[in-house]
């Protein structure tokens, strides 16, 4: 997590850095800071909390203090040290000549701290980053030039790091370093940038250069020189930046999350029209599938797994990436490993895929960011084409993941000849109805809002479902806790009576997700009655009005059991959104969370 940015050009570095950080804020919002390198003055401005606090400081600063055409900036998601001013980046050397921003984790920072302390360096923060500044400073004090000092220092670092560095004595230069953390260079008119993500470059840069791991870039206003850590020059052609600034605009919606929920029918339509766009023929021979993901992406995997089992007759295991890494696996050449990650930067998923690759498995990745780090570990990539998702809570990327997984399962079933062509075309027809069904749910937004408002003041909520609907309940509960901070847990409805029912009373609403076609429909409804009998308010999300006396019913369009998670998702997302909105939460940037989780 964390986001870094750098600017060198002919206009205001402060303005460019703050603009860029605005588009990186989804990566963390514990603190923000910039360093401006003006002729002979290296000025640092930092603020704890959101970027806005920093913007206010800059706004009230006399203009002459913020004049500079070179600088670096940072947005922090705390890993080492509290989210306070002391630990905010940029970090600087004791003499104030060097400033640095960092995204990633330095694994050997404790040893480095010890070594540097023995050399007389005094640490003023608890961060791992500060060790890097002192390392470079030590090289400079030993007589190395700026570039050599950086090169010598980064060779001593273990872990993940994307760095932006400025040096007071050389204000015509910005140095960027990349290893295991995302970093790209943006090229504008007489100006260059560095950024953790393309989002920070939209409307600024015309072309980009992707840095690779183990590279250092020395960036001037009109020149970019890239070398590896050994100093060998690397030649790389710039690419056109295809995205426009509008792709990260709220488009009139109160929050990005609401806008992104509304984008879902269009995205699904486009995915259906485009098809999978990969050749699945070579995947036909696998009879084992392992799906690895985290958070919402994991829920998409859980929803799709039964279809791979059923339609493709494969043994399927779904595992949280953070667990996969430490468990003895059966992964081998007979296994297809599917990694799912919206951001493509999730450290847990990337580490798990690296491990899977070592066991000779074929790796297929589903990601919304074809430019992200995860694609390096993939033999095949399926893109979600959902557009940039700005809200930290995943919505449109979830339904795009579901859709892509359904398309993949259908393609494999066809290749393996386990479903007849009539069955396959029937399922494709059902998928084609989905965008209209989601539109019907969105058209009922006000009704869902009115139901949601009634449940905003409860301290906790239980979600229940069975079978194919259980991942929907899990995702609904995750959405609610992420953005409203209401304690929400999902249970297999049949498990309720084995323990969780002890929690139920008039203060603990139960949200039940049902599909009329599912063989478990009646049983789940009985579980809802059991909850009612314990005085729990019950909200039913179902495609059929249930018999019984429940508190609220959110009626969904009728759907087949297999694809119902797509429609259920839209309704549960709106429900969580309107509860959080009623509570006045910061919906797009929930506390403690970040969009790209680049630490394990
Ligand atoms: O980018 P990824 O799909 O790999 O992210 C995985 C999770 O961190 C992510 O889904 C997280 O749970 C979201 N905040 C969900 O809304």
């Amino acid at each position: 997590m964390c986001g870094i940015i750098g600017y060198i050009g002919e206009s205001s570095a402060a303005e460019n850095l703050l603009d860029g950080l605005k588009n990186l804020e989804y990566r963390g919002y514990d603190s923000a800071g910039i360093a401006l390198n003006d002729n002979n003055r290296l000025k640092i401005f930092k603020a704890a909390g959101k970027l806005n606090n920093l913007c206010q400081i800059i706004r009230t600063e006399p203009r002459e203090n913020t004049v500079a055409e070179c600088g670096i900036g940072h947005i922090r998601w705390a890993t080492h040290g509290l989210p306070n001013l002391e630990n905010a980046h940029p970090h600087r050397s004791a003499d104030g000549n060097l400033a640095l921003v960092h995204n990633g984790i330095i694994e050997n920072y404790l040893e480095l701290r010890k070594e540097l302390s023995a050399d007389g360096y005094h640490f003023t923060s608890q961060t791992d980053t500060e060790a890097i500044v002192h390392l470079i400073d030590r090289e400079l004090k030993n007589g190395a030039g700026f570039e050599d000092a950086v090169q010598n220092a980064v060779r001593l670092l273990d872990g993940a790091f994307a760095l932006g560095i400025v040096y007071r004595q050389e204000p015509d230069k910005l140095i960027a370093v990349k290893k295991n953390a995302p970093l790209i260079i943006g090229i504008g008119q007489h100006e260059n940038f560095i950024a953790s993500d393309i989002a920070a470059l939209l409307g600024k840069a015309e072309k980009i250069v992707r840095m690779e791991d183990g590279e250092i870039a020395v960036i001037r206003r009109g020149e970019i020189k890239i070398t590896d850590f050994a100093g060998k020059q690397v030649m790389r052609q710039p690419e056109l930046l295809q995205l426009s600034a509008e792709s990260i605009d709220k488009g009139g919606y109160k929050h990005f999350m609401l806008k992104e929920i509304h984008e879902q029918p269009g995205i699904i339509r486009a995915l259906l029209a485009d098809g999978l766009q990969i050749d699945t023929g070579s995947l036909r021979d696998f009879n084992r599938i392992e799906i690895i993901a985290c958070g919402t992406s994991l829920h998409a995997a859980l929803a799709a797994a039964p279809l791979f089992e059923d339609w493709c007759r494969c043994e399927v295991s779904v595992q949280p990436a953070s667990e996969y890494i430490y468990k003895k696996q059966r992964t081998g050449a007979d296994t297809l490993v599917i990694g799912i990650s919206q951001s493509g930067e999730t450290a847990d998923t990337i580490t798990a895929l690296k491990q899977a690759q070592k066991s000779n498995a074929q790796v297929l990745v589903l990601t919304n960011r074809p430019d992200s780090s995860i694609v390096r570990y993939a033999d095949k990539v399926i893109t979600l084409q959902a557009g940039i998702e700005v809200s930290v809570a995943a919505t449109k990327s979830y339904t795009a993941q579901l859709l892509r997984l359904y398309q993949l399962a259908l393609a494999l079933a066809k290749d393996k000849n386990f479903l007849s062509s009539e069955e396959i075309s029937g399922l494709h027809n059902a998928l084609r109805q989905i965008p209209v069904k989601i539109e019907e749910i969105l058209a009922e937004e006000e009704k869902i809002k009115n139901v949601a408002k009634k449940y905003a003041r409860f301290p906790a909520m239980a979600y229940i479902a069975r079978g194919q609907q259980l991942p929907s309940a899990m995702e609904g509960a995750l959405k609610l806790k992420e953005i409203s901070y209401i304690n929400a847990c999902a249970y297999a409805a049949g498990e309720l009576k084995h323990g969780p029912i002890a929690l139920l009373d008039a203060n603990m609403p139960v949200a039940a997700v049902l599909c009329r076609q599912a063989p478990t429909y009646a049983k789940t409804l009985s579980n809802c009655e059991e909850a009612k009998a314990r005085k729990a308010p019950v909200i039913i999300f179902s495609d059929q009005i249930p018999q019984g006396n429940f508190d609220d019913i959110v009626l969904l369009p009728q759907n087949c059991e297999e694809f119902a998670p797509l429609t259920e998702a839209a309704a549960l997302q709106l429900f969580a959104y309107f509860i959080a909105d009623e509570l006045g939460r910061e919906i797009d940037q929930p506390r403690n969370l970040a969009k790209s989780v680049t630490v394990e």
Side-chain angles (χ1 to χ4, degrees), residues 288-409:
R288 238 183 89 67
I289 296 181
E290 285 174 355
I291 316 184
I292 303 170
C294 304
T296 290
S297 302
L298 182 69
H299 296 155
L302 289 168
L307 306 187
F308 285 100
E309 275 163 354
D310 190 19
W311 298 343
C312 315
R313 313 227 178 120
C314 281
E315 186 195 322
V316 183
S317 105
V318 176
Q319 302 185 53
S322 53
E323 292 297 313
Y324 179 93
I325 300 166
Y326 301 102
K327 249 170 72 183
K328 225 174 175 182
Q329 301 294 341
R330 281 184 50 208
T331 318
D334 66 332
T335 316
L336 172 65
V337 172
I338 304 179
I340 312 176
S341 174
Q342 183 286 129
S343 64
E345 300 294 349
T346 299
D348 288 327
T349 312
I350 290 177
T351 307
L353 292 190
K354 278 186 198 165
Q355 206 165 299
Q357 255 192 347
K358 281 194 200 130
S359 52
N360 286 330
Q362 200 169 134
V363 176
L364 170 68
V365 157
L366 261 75
T367 182
N368 199 29
R369 303 300 296 266
D371 53 333
S372 62
S373 310
I374 205 167
V375 299
R376 287 205 206 104
Y377 309 101
D379 299 302
K380 283 189 193 301
V381 178
I382 296 178
T383 56
L384 301 178
Q385 295 172 25
I388 290 186
E389 190 174 61
V390 178
S391 168
V392 167
T395 54
K396 60 178 181 174
S397 63
Y398 176 62
T399 43
Q401 285 166 348
L402 287 175
L403 205 277
R404 281 311 203 193
L405 288 165
Y406 296 155
Q407 286 179 314
L408 180 65

Side-chain angles (χ1 to χ4, degrees), residues 276 278 280-281 284 311-312 405-417 424 428:
L276 258 190
I278 63 155
T280 51
R284 159 183 336 148
W311 298 343
C312 315
L405 288 165
Y406 296 155
Q407 286 179 314
L408 180 65
L410 280 169
L412 290 181
K414 188 171 173 209
D415 291 340
K416 282 173 173 277
N417 266 325
I424 290 181
H428 275 297

Side-chain angles (χ1 to χ4, degrees), residues 60 89 133 172 187 246 294 338 344 407 417 427 465 495 504 556:
T60 52
H89 298 218
V133 191
D172 62 330
I187 305 171
E246 287 73 55
C294 304
I338 304 179
Q407 286 179 314
N417 266 325
L427 287 161
E495 278 293 299
L504 301 190
L556 308 174

